[in-house]
PDB file of all heavy atoms in Angstrom:
ATOM      1  N   ASP L 129      69.258  58.847  99.562  1.00  0.00           N
ATOM      2  CA  ASP L 129      68.375  59.670 100.385  1.00  0.00           C
ATOM      3  C   ASP L 129      67.262  60.271  99.527  1.00  0.00           C
ATOM      4  O   ASP L 129      66.093  60.191  99.878  1.00  0.00           O
ATOM      5  CB  ASP L 129      69.151  60.796 101.071  1.00  0.00           C
ATOM      6  CG  ASP L 129      70.125  60.272 102.107  1.00  0.00           C
ATOM      7  OD1 ASP L 129      69.916  59.135 102.589  1.00  0.00           O
ATOM      8  OD2 ASP L 129      71.087  60.986 102.418  1.00  0.00           O
ATOM      9  N   ASN L 130      67.640  60.909  98.450  1.00  0.00           N
ATOM     10  CA  ASN L 130      66.680  61.531  97.537  1.00  0.00           C
ATOM     11  C   ASN L 130      67.446  61.808  96.244  1.00  0.00           C
ATOM     12  O   ASN L 130      68.178  62.804  96.169  1.00  0.00           O
ATOM     13  CB  ASN L 130      66.127  62.815  98.144  1.00  0.00           C
ATOM     14  CG  ASN L 130      65.068  63.458  97.276  1.00  0.00           C
ATOM     15  OD1 ASN L 130      64.922  63.134  96.105  1.00  0.00           O
ATOM     16  ND2 ASN L 130      64.335  64.389  97.857  1.00  0.00           N
ATOM     17  N   PRO L 131      67.336  60.955  95.239  1.00  0.00           N
ATOM     18  CA  PRO L 131      68.174  61.081  94.042  1.00  0.00           C
ATOM     19  C   PRO L 131      68.060  62.429  93.338  1.00  0.00           C
ATOM     20  O   PRO L 131      69.068  63.001  92.926  1.00  0.00           O
ATOM     21  CB  PRO L 131      67.678  59.954  93.137  1.00  0.00           C
ATOM     22  CG  PRO L 131      67.041  58.962  94.055  1.00  0.00           C
ATOM     23  CD  PRO L 131      66.486  59.766  95.181  1.00  0.00           C
ATOM     24  N   ALA L 132      66.876  62.967  93.220  1.00  0.00           N
ATOM     25  CA  ALA L 132      66.707  64.242  92.514  1.00  0.00           C
ATOM     26  C   ALA L 132      67.358  65.381  93.294  1.00  0.00           C
ATOM     27  O   ALA L 132      68.093  66.199  92.729  1.00  0.00           O
ATOM     28  CB  ALA L 132      65.225  64.530  92.294  1.00  0.00           C
ATOM     29  N   ALA L 133      67.096  65.427  94.577  1.00  0.00           N
ATOM     30  CA  ALA L 133      67.695  66.478  95.407  1.00  0.00           C
ATOM     31  C   ALA L 133      69.211  66.325  95.464  1.00  0.00           C
ATOM     32  O   ALA L 133      69.947  67.318  95.466  1.00  0.00           O
ATOM     33  CB  ALA L 133      67.100  66.447  96.814  1.00  0.00           C
ATOM     34  N   TYR L 134      69.709  65.084  95.482  1.00  0.00           N
ATOM     35  CA  TYR L 134      71.149  64.849  95.509  1.00  0.00           C
ATOM     36  C   TYR L 134      71.802  65.357  94.224  1.00  0.00           C
ATOM     37  O   TYR L 134      72.856  65.994  94.257  1.00  0.00           O
ATOM     38  CB  TYR L 134      71.432  63.362  95.700  1.00  0.00           C
ATOM     39  CG  TYR L 134      72.895  63.029  95.789  1.00  0.00           C
ATOM     40  CD1 TYR L 134      73.625  63.315  96.936  1.00  0.00           C
ATOM     41  CD2 TYR L 134      73.566  62.451  94.717  1.00  0.00           C
ATOM     42  CE1 TYR L 134      74.966  63.025  97.025  1.00  0.00           C
ATOM     43  CE2 TYR L 134      74.918  62.158  94.792  1.00  0.00           C
ATOM     44  CZ  TYR L 134      75.606  62.442  95.948  1.00  0.00           C
ATOM     45  OH  TYR L 134      76.948  62.162  96.030  1.00  0.00           O
ATOM     46  N   ALA L 135      71.190  65.080  93.077  1.00  0.00           N
ATOM     47  CA  ALA L 135      71.734  65.539  91.796  1.00  0.00           C
ATOM     48  C   ALA L 135      71.768  67.065  91.743  1.00  0.00           C
ATOM     49  O   ALA L 135      72.753  67.664  91.299  1.00  0.00           O
ATOM     50  CB  ALA L 135      70.902  64.977  90.646  1.00  0.00           C
ATOM     51  N   ILE L 136      70.709  67.692  92.209  1.00  0.00           N
ATOM     52  CA  ILE L 136      70.666  69.164  92.228  1.00  0.00           C
ATOM     53  C   ILE L 136      71.736  69.710  93.170  1.00  0.00           C
ATOM     54  O   ILE L 136      72.438  70.668  92.848  1.00  0.00           O
ATOM     55  CB  ILE L 136      69.260  69.654  92.624  1.00  0.00           C
ATOM     56  CG1 ILE L 136      68.256  69.311  91.523  1.00  0.00           C
ATOM     57  CG2 ILE L 136      69.258  71.150  92.901  1.00  0.00           C
ATOM     58  CD1 ILE L 136      66.806  69.502  91.914  1.00  0.00           C
ATOM     59  N   ALA L 137      71.896  69.079  94.331  1.00  0.00           N
ATOM     60  CA  ALA L 137      72.892  69.538  95.302  1.00  0.00           C
ATOM     61  C   ALA L 137      74.307  69.397  94.738  1.00  0.00           C
ATOM     62  O   ALA L 137      75.147  70.286  94.921  1.00  0.00           O
ATOM     63  CB  ALA L 137      72.769  68.747  96.602  1.00  0.00           C
ATOM     64  N   GLN L 138      74.572  68.294  94.032  1.00  0.00           N
ATOM     65  CA  GLN L 138      75.896  68.109  93.446  1.00  0.00           C
ATOM     66  C   GLN L 138      76.176  69.150  92.365  1.00  0.00           C
ATOM     67  O   GLN L 138      77.277  69.687  92.259  1.00  0.00           O
ATOM     68  CB  GLN L 138      76.040  66.693  92.869  1.00  0.00           C
ATOM     69  CG  GLN L 138      76.095  65.612  93.920  1.00  0.00           C
ATOM     70  CD  GLN L 138      77.196  65.850  94.926  1.00  0.00           C
ATOM     71  OE1 GLN L 138      78.333  66.131  94.569  1.00  0.00           O
ATOM     72  NE2 GLN L 138      76.869  65.753  96.202  1.00  0.00           N
ATOM     73  N   GLN L 139      75.172  69.457  91.566  1.00  0.00           N
ATOM     74  CA  GLN L 139      75.338  70.477  90.538  1.00  0.00           C
ATOM     75  C   GLN L 139      75.595  71.848  91.175  1.00  0.00           C
ATOM     76  O   GLN L 139      76.455  72.602  90.729  1.00  0.00           O
ATOM     77  CB  GLN L 139      74.108  70.542  89.641  1.00  0.00           C
ATOM     78  CG  GLN L 139      74.252  71.520  88.498  1.00  0.00           C
ATOM     79  CD  GLN L 139      73.051  71.510  87.576  1.00  0.00           C
ATOM     80  OE1 GLN L 139      72.055  70.869  87.847  1.00  0.00           O
ATOM     81  NE2 GLN L 139      73.153  72.235  86.479  1.00  0.00           N
ATOM     82  N   MET L 140      74.866  72.151  92.234  1.00  0.00           N
ATOM     83  CA  MET L 140      75.072  73.430  92.921  1.00  0.00           C
ATOM     84  C   MET L 140      76.454  73.484  93.567  1.00  0.00           C
ATOM     85  O   MET L 140      77.117  74.528  93.529  1.00  0.00           O
ATOM     86  CB  MET L 140      73.969  73.648  93.960  1.00  0.00           C
ATOM     87  CG  MET L 140      72.612  73.885  93.317  1.00  0.00           C
ATOM     88  SD  MET L 140      71.309  74.078  94.521  1.00  0.00           S
ATOM     89  CE  MET L 140      71.596  75.749  95.021  1.00  0.00           C
ATOM     90  N   ASN L 141      76.919  72.385  94.144  1.00  0.00           N
ATOM     91  CA  ASN L 141      78.272  72.354  94.716  1.00  0.00           C
ATOM     92  C   ASN L 141      79.325  72.585  93.635  1.00  0.00           C
ATOM     93  O   ASN L 141      80.315  73.279  93.861  1.00  0.00           O
ATOM     94  CB  ASN L 141      78.521  71.028  95.433  1.00  0.00           C
ATOM     95  CG  ASN L 141      77.821  70.944  96.764  1.00  0.00           C
ATOM     96  OD1 ASN L 141      77.486  71.958  97.362  1.00  0.00           O
ATOM     97  ND2 ASN L 141      77.574  69.728  97.224  1.00  0.00           N
ATOM     98  N   GLY L 142      79.112  72.015  92.460  1.00  0.00           N
ATOM     99  CA  GLY L 142      80.019  72.252  91.340  1.00  0.00           C
ATOM    100  C   GLY L 142      80.018  73.711  90.918  1.00  0.00           C
ATOM    101  O   GLY L 142      81.067  74.294  90.632  1.00  0.00           O
ATOM    102  N   ASN L 143      78.835  74.315  90.869  1.00  0.00           N
ATOM    103  CA  ASN L 143      78.737  75.741  90.518  1.00  0.00           C
ATOM    104  C   ASN L 143      79.449  76.613  91.546  1.00  0.00           C
ATOM    105  O   ASN L 143      80.126  77.585  91.197  1.00  0.00           O
ATOM    106  CB  ASN L 143      77.277  76.164  90.399  1.00  0.00           C
ATOM    107  CG  ASN L 143      76.588  75.562  89.191  1.00  0.00           C
ATOM    108  OD1 ASN L 143      77.241  75.041  88.295  1.00  0.00           O
ATOM    109  ND2 ASN L 143      75.269  75.606  89.174  1.00  0.00           N
ATOM    110  N   ILE L 144      79.281  76.279  92.811  1.00  0.00           N
ATOM    111  CA  ILE L 144      79.933  77.047  93.883  1.00  0.00           C
ATOM    112  C   ILE L 144      81.447  76.932  93.762  1.00  0.00           C
ATOM    113  O   ILE L 144      82.171  77.930  93.888  1.00  0.00           O
ATOM    114  CB  ILE L 144      79.440  76.572  95.265  1.00  0.00           C
ATOM    115  CG1 ILE L 144      77.992  77.004  95.473  1.00  0.00           C
ATOM    116  CG2 ILE L 144      80.322  77.103  96.379  1.00  0.00           C
ATOM    117  CD1 ILE L 144      77.317  76.371  96.674  1.00  0.00           C
ATOM    118  N   SER L 145      81.945  75.736  93.488  1.00  0.00           N
ATOM    119  CA  SER L 145      83.389  75.556  93.318  1.00  0.00           C
ATOM    120  C   SER L 145      83.895  76.352  92.121  1.00  0.00           C
ATOM    121  O   SER L 145      84.971  76.961  92.184  1.00  0.00           O
ATOM    122  CB  SER L 145      83.723  74.078  93.126  1.00  0.00           C
ATOM    123  OG  SER L 145      83.387  73.343  94.272  1.00  0.00           O
ATOM    124  N   GLY L 146      83.137  76.342  91.030  1.00  0.00           N
ATOM    125  CA  GLY L 146      83.523  77.118  89.855  1.00  0.00           C
ATOM    126  C   GLY L 146      83.552  78.606  90.140  1.00  0.00           C
ATOM    127  O   GLY L 146      84.474  79.315  89.729  1.00  0.00           O
ATOM    128  N   LEU L 147      82.567  79.095  90.858  1.00  0.00           N
ATOM    129  CA  LEU L 147      82.533  80.518  91.204  1.00  0.00           C
ATOM    130  C   LEU L 147      83.673  80.888  92.142  1.00  0.00           C
ATOM    131  O   LEU L 147      84.243  81.982  92.040  1.00  0.00           O
ATOM    132  CB  LEU L 147      81.185  80.877  91.827  1.00  0.00           C
ATOM    133  CG  LEU L 147      79.993  80.889  90.867  1.00  0.00           C
ATOM    134  CD1 LEU L 147      78.693  81.117  91.635  1.00  0.00           C
ATOM    135  CD2 LEU L 147      80.182  81.948  89.798  1.00  0.00           C
ATOM    136  N   ALA L 148      84.012  79.997  93.041  1.00  0.00           N
ATOM    137  CA  ALA L 148      85.145  80.265  93.943  1.00  0.00           C
ATOM    138  C   ALA L 148      86.445  80.353  93.151  1.00  0.00           C
ATOM    139  O   ALA L 148      87.288  81.220  93.427  1.00  0.00           O
ATOM    140  CB  ALA L 148      85.240  79.171  95.008  1.00  0.00           C
ATOM    141  N   ALA L 149      86.613  79.490  92.154  1.00  0.00           N
ATOM    142  CA  ALA L 149      87.812  79.541  91.318  1.00  0.00           C
ATOM    143  C   ALA L 149      87.862  80.834  90.512  1.00  0.00           C
ATOM    144  O   ALA L 149      88.914  81.470  90.393  1.00  0.00           O
ATOM    145  CB  ALA L 149      87.860  78.330  90.388  1.00  0.00           C
ATOM    146  N   VAL L 150      86.729  81.249  89.975  1.00  0.00           N
ATOM    147  CA  VAL L 150      86.671  82.508  89.224  1.00  0.00           C
ATOM    148  C   VAL L 150      86.980  83.684  90.137  1.00  0.00           C
ATOM    149  O   VAL L 150      87.713  84.606  89.771  1.00  0.00           O
ATOM    150  CB  VAL L 150      85.290  82.667  88.548  1.00  0.00           C
ATOM    151  CG1 VAL L 150      85.100  84.074  88.000  1.00  0.00           C
ATOM    152  CG2 VAL L 150      85.126  81.649  87.431  1.00  0.00           C
ATOM    153  N   SER L 151      86.435  83.654  91.335  1.00  0.00           N
ATOM    154  CA  SER L 151      86.698  84.726  92.301  1.00  0.00           C
ATOM    155  C   SER L 151      88.176  84.802  92.648  1.00  0.00           C
ATOM    156  O   SER L 151      88.746  85.896  92.733  1.00  0.00           O
ATOM    157  CB  SER L 151      85.861  84.503  93.563  1.00  0.00           C
ATOM    158  OG  SER L 151      86.151  85.467  94.522  1.00  0.00           O
ATOM    159  N   ASP L 152      88.811  83.650  92.852  1.00  0.00           N
ATOM    160  CA  ASP L 152      90.248  83.638  93.127  1.00  0.00           C
ATOM    161  C   ASP L 152      91.035  84.194  91.946  1.00  0.00           C
ATOM    162  O   ASP L 152      91.992  84.957  92.118  1.00  0.00           O
ATOM    163  CB  ASP L 152      90.726  82.216  93.442  1.00  0.00           C
ATOM    164  CG  ASP L 152      90.225  81.709  94.781  1.00  0.00           C
ATOM    165  OD1 ASP L 152      89.755  82.535  95.591  1.00  0.00           O
ATOM    166  OD2 ASP L 152      90.309  80.486  95.015  1.00  0.00           O
ATOM    167  N   GLY L 153      90.633  83.831  90.735  1.00  0.00           N
ATOM    168  CA  GLY L 153      91.303  84.339  89.546  1.00  0.00           C
ATOM    169  C   GLY L 153      91.155  85.837  89.404  1.00  0.00           C
ATOM    170  O   GLY L 153      92.108  86.545  89.057  1.00  0.00           O
TER     171      GLY L 153
END
Side-chain angles (χ1 to χ4, degrees):
D129 293 338
N130 183 345
Y134 182 75
I136 292 169
Q138 290 304 312
Q139 184 177 7
M140 291 178 78
N141 285 338
N143 290 346
I144 289 169
S145 296
L147 289 174
V150 169
S151 177
D152 290 345

